[in-house]
Amino acid sequence: MARVVVTGVGPVSSIGIGIAAFAEALRTGRSGISPITSFDPAGFPHRNAGEVQTFDPGAQLRRVDPASWGRSSQFAASAARLAVADARLDLTSVTPGRAHAIMGTTSGESAVAEALTEQIIDGGFAAQDPALLTQLPANRLANAVSEELELAGESLTIATACSASNYAIGYAYDLLAGGEADLVFAGGADSVCRWAHAGFYRLGALAKDACTPFDKDRAGILTGEGGAVLALETLEHATKRGATIYAELLGYGVNCDAIHPVTPDAPTVAECMRIAHRNSGISPSDVDYICAHGTGTQVNDLVESKAVLEVFGERPPPISSIKSMLGHTMGAACGFGAIASTIAIDRGFLPPTVNWTTEDPELGVDPVPNAARAANVRVVQNDGFAFGGNNAIVMLGAPE
């Protein structure tokens, strides 16, 4: 089995675009939450989200025409282009067919779907714009990456909701470790949309102004958006081209609760952690930091904390949630978590959980409240849990 390493990252987020801006925002605890502009939020009592309001696809894209692709695909392709630049990759030197694009998503091209729905309501099915229809399929997120980078390998979009990026990274690991690839671009993308905002509001899971994970008075999520892509290579391929290696992808674990549509199950989540540790060849005592799923809902944070205590004992490693800054970016969430984990290893600090005010004694975890913390980070656990019980955890380690 080949070893797999991270050589580049491409965040397109509400707190920063590119590694420099994203890392600085994590270090300073910057919030990317603002009033919604993607749709008219009139009528909603909650009107904030983590939108990428400074996003200009033309600033990154070279081959993909933004006019022909939906917003989520633009996020995916832009993030991949940033990852190429960060990894200092010459894609012409990669063997054709040995570079792949694996992307995760929750809603696919949600903004396109909503635009088509409005056309149907106004004029019936015949009123749908054919150009918009071509942008709708969710598989286009990975296709946009392949098109932008001229990749000839596998192009796959995985739709396991809010853990989808970790599934994509795990799939990439298998391709690389198993000898089927030299290079994989893996991550996820999603866009802020009305239906997700409305759905989480109706579930009672939407916060009004701020997301406050692990706080006693946490009230729910804020929706977010963006694209998060990691350039993953075999160690041999990265070493041969003299690449800078940020971190090693040690392995991953996946399982499914298959119990409840929206409520996670602590014992199954704990078992997913054990699977990830076992597959990565590490023990709980090796983990220095947990990049939490940490949605800020009462149930999710409690279940995740219970699972952590079950696996790690009464003194678990620090655990923080970057969703407090970004909002919940759905299918991109674990990709951003993996990038934050990589930055934590490479730059020696733990990203904070911002907006935290009141300890919840029922949780029993250290949420790295409000301020980043200097740390020697050797191993990180990046958690991802999704509706439908889809659990996926990725383990990253310092390069040897």
Side-chain angles (χ1 to χ4, degrees):
M1 299 288 285
R3 292 170 66 185
V4 179
V5 294
V6 182
T7 56
V9 298
V12 178
S13 81
S14 62
I15 64 171
I17 296 174
I19 184 173
F22 188 75
E24 181 62 19
L26 291 180
R27 191 185 293 275
T28 59
R30 177 176 176 263
S31 173
I33 304 305
S34 58
I36 291 170
T37 61
S38 298
F39 60 89
D40 182 1
F44 287 104
H46 300 175
R47 302 179 186 180
N48 284 346
E51 293 180 326
V52 191
Q53 295 190 339
T54 60
F55 179 53
D56 174 14
Q60 277 84 42
L61 299 178
R62 300 180 189 174
R63 299 189 74 253
V64 164
D65 177 8
S68 301
W69 297 78
R71 185 170 174 86
S72 296
S73 294
Q74 293 173 26
F75 281 143
S78 297
R81 179 58 74 184
L82 286 168
V84 169
D86 186 45
R88 295 175 174 82
L89 269 162
D90 175 9
L91 291 174
T92 62
S93 68
V94 180
T95 304
R98 299 282 296 175
H100 308 261
I102 314 296
M103 297 297 294
T105 192
T106 294
S107 307
E109 289 295 2
S110 51
V112 174
E114 290 187 347
L116 287 167
T117 300
E118 288 182 8
Q119 292 176 354
I120 293 168
I121 291 171
D122 291 341
F125 285 96
Q128 293 176 98
D129 180 356
L132 271 182
L133 281 168
T134 64
Q135 296 179 19
L136 182 61
N139 65 282
R140 281 171 61 86
L141 272 66
N143 293 353
V145 174
S146 296
E147 176 76 14
E148 173 65 20
L149 304 183
E150 298 184 87
L151 308 181
E154 188 169 353
S155 181
L156 175 67
T157 302
I158 298 175
T160 46
C162 302
S163 58
S165 287
N166 269 357
Y167 274 88
I169 293 168
Y171 192 101
Y173 176 87
D174 286 344
L175 289 172
L176 291 158
E180 297 179 59
D182 298 321
L183 170 66
V184 181
F185 295 93
D190 262 305
S191 303
V192 164
C193 61
R194 181 191 300 273
W195 75 260
H197 186 85
F200 280 102
Y201 176 72
R202 291 298 298 271
L203 280 171
L206 194 68
K208 187 173 191 256
D209 299 312
C211 177
T212 60
F214 304 112
D215 190 282
K216 186 176 186 295
D217 300 317
R218 60 193 181 276
I221 77 162
L222 290 175
T223 58
E225 66 179 3
V229 171
L230 293 87
L232 303 171
E233 301 180 62
T234 62
L235 177 60
E236 179 183 10
H237 189 268
T239 302
K240 278 184 178 179
R241 70 177 189 86
T244 297
I245 296 172
Y246 285 130
E248 182 170 358
L249 180 55
L250 302 175
Y252 71 96
V254 296
N255 66 5
C256 186
D257 297 347
I259 294 171
H260 193 278
V262 299
T263 302
D265 175 66
T268 317
V269 169
E271 181 57 22
C272 190
M273 294 178 186
R274 295 189 186 98
I275 293 168
H277 296 171
R278 190 162 57 244
N279 289 346
S280 303
I282 62 105
S283 65
S285 61
D286 296 321
V287 179
D288 300 304
Y289 166 60
I290 300 171
C291 190
H293 190 60
T295 61
T297 66
Q298 285 287 332
V299 171
N300 179 90
D301 293 3
L302 178 60
V303 167
E304 187 168 11
S305 298
K306 283 184 174 179
V308 165
L309 293 174
E310 180 179 332
V311 172
F312 291 90
E314 294 182 357
R315 301 192 66 179
I319 175 172
S320 69
S321 173
I322 63 172
K323 290 182 180 68
S324 59
M325 294 176 260
L326 293 168
H328 194 336
T329 55
M330 306 296 158
C334 294
F336 284 123
I339 292 174
S341 300
T342 299
I343 290 170
I345 291 168
D346 182 65
R347 305 199 178 186
F349 72 93
L350 308 182
T353 303
V354 302
N355 308 319
W356 189 93
T357 59
T358 308
E359 181 180 1
D360 186 344
E362 192 174 7
L363 302 186
V365 296
D366 169 14
V368 193
N370 299 320
R373 185 182 303 166
N376 179 25
V377 186
R378 303 293 298 174
V379 177
V380 178
Q381 174 179 305
N382 181 41
D383 286 352
F385 316 120
F387 284 177
N390 291 300
N391 306 314
I393 294 171
V394 164
M395 306 299 301
L396 294 120
E400 297 295 338

